[in-house]
Amino acid sequence: MYYDQHVHTYFSFDSQAPFEGYLHQSQAPLVTTDHLEMANPDDAGHNDLPNQLAYQQKRAELRGAFPNRILTGVECGYYAPCLKETYDYLRRADYDLVLLSFHHDGHHDFQDDFFQSVPKRAHVENYYQLMAAGVAEFEGADVLAHFDYGLRVLDVTPAELTAWVKPQLMTIFRMAVAKHLAFEVNTKSMFLWGNEALYETALPWYQEAGGTLFTLGSDAHSNDKYEMDFDRAKAFLHRHGVTQLATYQQHTPHLVDF
Protein backbone atom coordinates (compact mmCIF):
# COMPACT_ATOMS: atom_id res chain seq x y z
CA MET A 1 0.00 0.00 0.00
CA TYR A 2 1.37 3.40 -0.96
CA TYR A 3 1.03 6.29 1.48
CA ASP A 4 1.89 9.99 1.44
CA GLN A 5 5.63 10.71 1.75
CA HIS A 6 5.42 14.47 2.46
CA VAL A 7 3.21 15.45 5.42
CA HIS A 8 3.47 18.22 8.04
CA THR A 9 2.09 18.43 11.58
CA TYR A 10 2.14 21.03 14.36
CA PHE A 11 5.84 20.20 14.78
CA SER A 12 6.37 22.40 11.70
CA PHE A 13 6.53 26.17 12.18
CA ASP A 14 3.85 26.68 9.50
CA SER A 15 1.34 23.97 10.38
CA GLN A 16 -1.16 23.25 13.15
CA ALA A 17 -2.21 19.84 11.83
CA PRO A 18 -2.67 17.12 14.48
CA PHE A 19 -1.41 13.60 13.88
CA GLU A 20 -4.83 12.16 14.58
CA GLY A 21 -6.43 13.89 11.60
CA TYR A 22 -4.07 12.04 9.27
CA LEU A 23 -4.24 8.73 11.12
CA HIS A 24 -8.03 8.56 10.91
CA GLN A 25 -7.85 8.67 7.09
CA SER A 26 -5.89 5.47 6.49
CA GLN A 27 -4.74 2.19 7.96
CA ALA A 28 -1.38 2.64 6.24
CA PRO A 29 1.73 3.81 8.07
CA LEU A 30 2.08 7.54 8.62
CA VAL A 31 5.39 9.29 8.04
CA THR A 32 5.59 12.94 9.03
CA THR A 33 8.19 15.20 7.43
CA ASP A 34 8.22 18.34 9.55
CA HIS A 35 10.44 21.28 8.70
CA LEU A 36 14.06 21.47 9.76
CA GLU A 37 14.79 24.97 8.51
CA MET A 38 17.84 26.95 9.58
CA ALA A 39 17.89 30.78 9.56
CA ASN A 40 14.33 30.69 8.28
CA PRO A 41 13.31 34.01 6.66
CA ASP A 42 9.67 32.93 6.92
CA ASP A 43 10.07 32.83 10.72
CA ALA A 44 12.12 35.94 11.49
CA GLY A 45 15.41 34.16 10.78
CA HIS A 46 14.91 31.55 13.51
CA ASN A 47 16.29 28.04 13.38
CA ASP A 48 13.15 25.91 13.22
CA LEU A 49 13.92 22.48 14.65
CA PRO A 50 11.15 20.00 15.50
CA ASN A 51 11.24 19.07 19.18
CA GLN A 52 12.58 15.52 18.97
CA LEU A 53 11.74 14.51 22.54
CA ALA A 54 8.16 15.76 22.29
CA TYR A 55 7.84 14.07 18.89
CA GLN A 56 8.88 10.68 20.25
CA GLN A 57 6.56 11.11 23.23
CA LYS A 58 3.68 11.81 20.86
CA ARG A 59 4.52 8.73 18.79
CA ALA A 60 4.47 6.59 21.94
CA GLU A 61 1.13 8.08 23.00
CA LEU A 62 -0.46 7.34 19.63
CA ARG A 63 0.91 3.83 19.33
CA GLY A 64 -1.74 2.39 21.60
CA ALA A 65 -4.64 4.23 20.01
CA PHE A 66 -3.97 3.65 16.31
CA PRO A 67 -3.00 0.53 14.38
CA ASN A 68 -0.89 2.58 11.96
CA ARG A 69 2.86 2.37 12.19
CA ILE A 70 4.15 5.90 12.79
CA LEU A 71 7.44 6.57 11.05
CA THR A 72 9.86 9.44 11.59
CA GLY A 73 10.72 11.75 8.75
CA VAL A 74 11.99 15.29 8.32
CA GLU A 75 12.05 17.88 5.55
CA CYS A 76 15.55 19.32 5.65
CA GLY A 77 15.95 22.75 4.12
CA TYR A 78 19.46 23.17 2.75
CA TYR A 79 21.30 26.29 3.91
CA ALA A 80 25.06 26.02 3.48
CA PRO A 81 26.15 28.37 6.32
CA CYS A 82 24.26 26.20 8.84
CA LEU A 83 25.16 22.77 7.49
CA LYS A 84 27.09 21.74 10.61
CA GLU A 85 24.13 22.62 12.83
CA THR A 86 21.84 20.72 10.46
CA TYR A 87 23.97 17.58 10.69
CA ASP A 88 24.25 17.94 14.48
CA TYR A 89 20.45 17.95 14.73
CA LEU A 90 19.95 15.01 12.38
CA ARG A 91 22.44 12.87 14.31
CA ARG A 92 20.31 13.08 17.44
CA ALA A 93 17.51 10.86 16.09
CA ASP A 94 16.93 7.92 13.79
CA TYR A 95 14.98 8.85 10.69
CA ASP A 96 13.09 6.70 8.24
CA LEU A 97 12.93 9.40 5.58
CA VAL A 98 14.81 12.65 4.89
CA LEU A 99 13.51 15.04 2.24
CA LEU A 100 16.02 17.53 0.83
CA SER A 101 14.52 20.93 -0.01
CA PHE A 102 15.68 24.34 -1.14
CA HIS A 103 13.43 26.92 0.46
CA HIS A 104 15.40 30.15 0.88
CA ASP A 105 18.56 32.09 0.11
CA GLY A 106 19.21 33.37 3.63
CA HIS A 107 17.21 36.55 3.00
CA HIS A 108 13.89 35.51 1.44
CA ASP A 109 11.88 32.34 1.18
CA PHE A 110 11.61 31.47 -2.50
CA GLN A 111 7.81 31.76 -2.29
CA ASP A 112 8.16 35.39 -1.21
CA ASP A 113 6.66 37.92 -3.60
CA PHE A 114 10.12 39.54 -3.65
CA PHE A 115 11.11 37.10 -6.39
CA GLN A 116 8.42 38.47 -8.68
CA SER A 117 10.43 41.70 -8.82
CA VAL A 118 13.78 40.21 -9.90
CA PRO A 119 14.78 39.23 -13.46
CA LYS A 120 13.06 35.91 -14.02
CA ARG A 121 15.78 34.11 -15.96
CA ALA A 122 18.49 35.15 -13.52
CA HIS A 123 16.42 33.90 -10.60
CA VAL A 124 15.69 30.55 -12.25
CA GLU A 125 19.38 30.05 -13.08
CA ASN A 126 20.45 31.06 -9.56
CA TYR A 127 17.92 28.73 -7.97
CA TYR A 128 19.25 25.70 -9.79
CA GLN A 129 22.85 26.71 -9.11
CA LEU A 130 21.94 26.62 -5.41
CA MET A 131 20.22 23.26 -5.85
CA ALA A 132 23.22 21.81 -7.69
CA ALA A 133 25.55 22.92 -4.90
CA GLY A 134 23.24 21.48 -2.25
CA VAL A 135 22.69 18.14 -3.92
CA ALA A 136 26.45 17.82 -4.39
CA GLU A 137 27.25 18.72 -0.78
CA PHE A 138 24.43 17.33 1.34
CA GLU A 139 24.74 13.78 2.63
CA GLY A 140 22.00 11.66 4.14
CA ALA A 141 18.91 12.59 2.14
CA ASP A 142 16.55 10.11 0.50
CA VAL A 143 14.34 12.31 -1.70
CA LEU A 144 14.78 15.48 -3.73
CA ALA A 145 11.58 17.32 -2.82
CA HIS A 146 9.57 19.68 -5.08
CA PHE A 147 12.27 20.46 -7.64
CA ASP A 148 10.20 23.51 -8.66
CA TYR A 149 9.79 25.15 -5.24
CA GLY A 150 11.74 28.24 -6.27
CA LEU A 151 9.51 28.69 -9.31
CA ARG A 152 6.16 28.53 -7.57
CA VAL A 153 5.59 32.31 -7.51
CA LEU A 154 6.78 32.73 -11.11
CA ASP A 155 5.18 31.95 -14.45
CA VAL A 156 7.94 29.79 -15.93
CA THR A 157 6.99 27.89 -19.07
CA PRO A 158 8.36 24.50 -20.09
CA ALA A 159 10.11 26.19 -23.02
CA GLU A 160 11.83 28.63 -20.66
CA LEU A 161 12.82 25.87 -18.25
CA THR A 162 14.33 23.92 -21.13
CA ALA A 163 16.17 26.86 -22.69
CA TRP A 164 17.48 28.31 -19.47
CA VAL A 165 18.38 25.42 -17.18
CA LYS A 166 18.02 21.98 -18.78
CA PRO A 167 21.81 21.34 -18.59
CA GLN A 168 21.83 22.37 -14.92
CA LEU A 169 18.87 20.15 -14.13
CA MET A 170 20.43 17.23 -15.97
CA THR A 171 23.54 17.68 -13.79
CA ILE A 172 21.37 17.84 -10.67
CA PHE A 173 19.46 14.72 -11.66
CA ARG A 174 22.64 12.77 -12.46
CA MET A 175 23.99 13.65 -9.01
CA ALA A 176 20.66 12.73 -7.46
CA VAL A 177 20.69 9.35 -9.18
CA ALA A 178 24.30 8.73 -8.07
CA LYS A 179 23.21 9.47 -4.48
CA HIS A 180 20.04 7.33 -4.82
CA LEU A 181 17.74 10.32 -4.33
CA ALA A 182 14.16 9.74 -5.40
CA PHE A 183 12.32 12.35 -7.47
CA GLU A 184 9.31 13.69 -5.61
CA VAL A 185 6.10 14.27 -7.52
CA ASN A 186 4.63 17.02 -5.36
CA THR A 187 0.89 17.39 -5.85
CA LYS A 188 0.81 20.79 -4.15
CA SER A 189 3.22 22.11 -6.77
CA MET A 190 1.43 20.41 -9.63
CA PHE A 191 -2.18 21.21 -8.88
CA LEU A 192 -2.32 24.11 -6.39
CA TRP A 193 0.58 26.09 -7.83
CA GLY A 194 -0.16 25.06 -11.41
CA ASN A 195 3.22 23.54 -12.26
CA GLU A 196 2.03 20.26 -13.77
CA ALA A 197 3.59 21.22 -17.13
CA LEU A 198 6.98 21.69 -15.47
CA TYR A 199 6.75 18.17 -14.04
CA GLU A 200 5.77 16.88 -17.49
CA THR A 201 8.99 18.47 -18.75
CA ALA A 202 11.44 17.58 -15.98
CA LEU A 203 10.43 14.08 -14.94
CA PRO A 204 11.66 12.57 -18.24
CA TRP A 205 14.99 14.33 -17.68
CA TYR A 206 15.35 12.51 -14.35
CA GLN A 207 14.54 9.27 -16.17
CA GLU A 208 17.07 10.15 -18.89
CA ALA A 209 19.66 10.61 -16.13
CA GLY A 210 18.97 7.03 -15.04
CA GLY A 211 16.48 7.78 -12.28
CA THR A 212 13.99 5.09 -11.32
CA LEU A 213 12.99 6.08 -7.76
CA PHE A 214 9.86 8.17 -7.34
CA THR A 215 7.82 9.35 -4.39
CA LEU A 216 4.42 11.00 -4.30
CA GLY A 217 3.83 13.68 -1.68
CA SER A 218 0.98 16.05 -0.96
CA ASP A 219 3.09 18.52 1.05
CA ALA A 220 0.06 18.64 3.35
CA HIS A 221 0.08 21.29 6.07
CA SER A 222 -3.50 20.53 7.10
CA ASN A 223 -5.35 17.25 7.50
CA ASP A 224 -7.68 17.89 4.56
CA LYS A 225 -4.73 17.97 2.12
CA TYR A 226 -3.51 14.45 2.92
CA GLU A 227 -2.92 12.52 -0.35
CA MET A 228 -4.42 15.46 -2.24
CA ASP A 229 -4.92 14.72 -5.95
CA PHE A 230 -3.05 11.43 -5.75
CA ASP A 231 -5.30 9.86 -8.41
CA ARG A 232 -4.37 12.60 -10.87
CA ALA A 233 -0.69 12.30 -10.04
CA LYS A 234 -0.72 8.53 -10.41
CA ALA A 235 -2.29 8.88 -13.85
CA PHE A 236 0.47 11.36 -14.72
CA LEU A 237 3.14 8.89 -13.58
CA HIS A 238 1.58 6.06 -15.57
CA ARG A 239 1.76 8.24 -18.68
CA HIS A 240 5.51 8.39 -18.10
CA GLY A 241 5.86 4.66 -17.65
CA VAL A 242 6.21 4.76 -13.86
CA THR A 243 4.37 1.90 -12.16
CA GLN A 244 6.16 1.75 -8.78
CA LEU A 245 6.56 4.28 -5.98
CA ALA A 246 9.01 4.22 -3.07
CA THR A 247 8.14 4.31 0.60
CA TYR A 248 10.93 4.56 3.16
CA GLN A 249 11.80 2.83 6.39
CA GLN A 250 15.25 3.38 7.91
CA HIS A 251 16.26 5.13 4.67
CA THR A 252 15.55 1.96 2.69
CA PRO A 253 13.20 2.33 -0.27
CA HIS A 254 10.40 -0.22 -0.55
CA LEU A 255 8.84 -0.28 -4.01
CA VAL A 256 5.06 -0.43 -4.20
CA ASP A 257 3.05 -1.11 -7.36
CA PHE A 258 0.22 1.33 -7.96
Side-chain angles (χ1 to χ4, degrees):
M1 177 187 300
Y2 189 76
Y3 50 94
D4 204 333
Q5 299 290 285
H6 192 155
V7 174
H8 295 273
T9 73
Y10 61 84
F11 282 96
S12 288
F13 76 96
D14 56 354
S15 174
Q16 296 299 318
F19 285 72
E20 292 85 347
Y22 296 123
L23 289 164
H24 280 300
Q25 296 184 57
S26 174
Q27 297 296 304
L30 172 69
V31 59
T32 60
T33 53
D34 287 301
H35 285 294
L36 168 58
E37 200 68 51
M38 297 295 184
N40 186 1
D42 251 8
D43 193 19
H46 294 147
N47 290 344
D48 288 306
L49 295 79
N51 184 318
Q52 291 172 324
L53 177 59
Y55 183 89
Q56 294 305 329
Q57 289 173 338
K58 183 63 178 178
R59 283 184 67 199
E61 170 194 326
L62 293 167
R63 199 170 292 130
F66 292 90
N68 317 61
R69 183 175 180 186
I70 302 173
L71 304 171
T72 303
V74 66
E75 182 178 7
C76 185
Y78 174 82
Y79 183 55
C82 293
L83 193 58
K84 179 184 181 301
E85 293 91 334
T86 300
Y87 285 151
D88 287 345
Y89 175 88
L90 291 172
R91 278 193 289 267
R92 295 199 294 268
D94 293 325
Y95 288 94
D96 292 289
L97 171 63
V98 175
L99 308 181
L100 178 60
S101 296
F102 298 85
H103 289 137
H104 70 83
D105 63 1
H107 304 286
H108 301 278
D109 186 281
F110 289 121
Q111 287 190 185
D112 195 299
D113 288 342
F114 166 81
F115 290 103
Q116 295 179 347
S117 67
V118 302
K120 185 166 69 168
R121 177 170 182 167
H123 168 66
V124 172
E125 291 175 343
N126 290 338
Y127 182 69
Y128 288 112
Q129 287 172 6
L130 170 66
M131 185 178 291
V135 171
E137 182 176 26
F138 193 86
E139 299 296 336
D142 304 300
V143 176
L144 178 61
H146 41 42
F147 88 96
D148 65 312
Y149 183 89
L151 282 54
R152 282 179 172 179
V153 297
L154 305 177
D155 182 19
V156 177
T157 68
E160 289 169 335
L161 190 75
T162 302
W164 296 346
V165 291
K166 181 179 179 180
Q168 286 176 262
L169 274 164
M170 289 301 301
T171 296
I172 289 166
F173 292 153
R174 289 188 190 101
M175 288 191 293
V177 170
K179 291 189 167 189
H180 307 289
L181 293 179
F183 179 98
E184 180 190 77
V185 174
N186 185 288
T187 57
K188 185 175 183 179
S189 281
M190 291 179 72
F191 303 118
L192 283 183
W193 287 94
N195 281 349
E196 183 178 3
L198 297 184
Y199 279 78
E200 290 276 7
T201 302
L203 185 143
W205 298 346
Y206 174 79
Q207 292 173 309
E208 183 181 339
T212 58
L213 288 173
F214 298 90
T215 63
L216 186 52
S218 67
D219 204 351
H221 285 66
S222 59
N223 296 147
D224 61 311
K225 297 299 191 292
Y226 180 70
E227 296 193 351
M228 178 190 68
D229 288 318
F230 269 28
D231 287 344
R232 293 174 69 186
K234 288 176 180 178
F236 158 81
L237 284 163
H238 281 153
R239 290 199 302 273
H240 289 278
V242 179
T243 60
Q244 292 185 317
L245 289 164
T247 63
Y248 284 82
Q249 294 181 20
Q250 292 294 300
H251 303 287
T252 300
H254 300 270
L255 297 181
V256 179
D257 293 330
F258 70 96

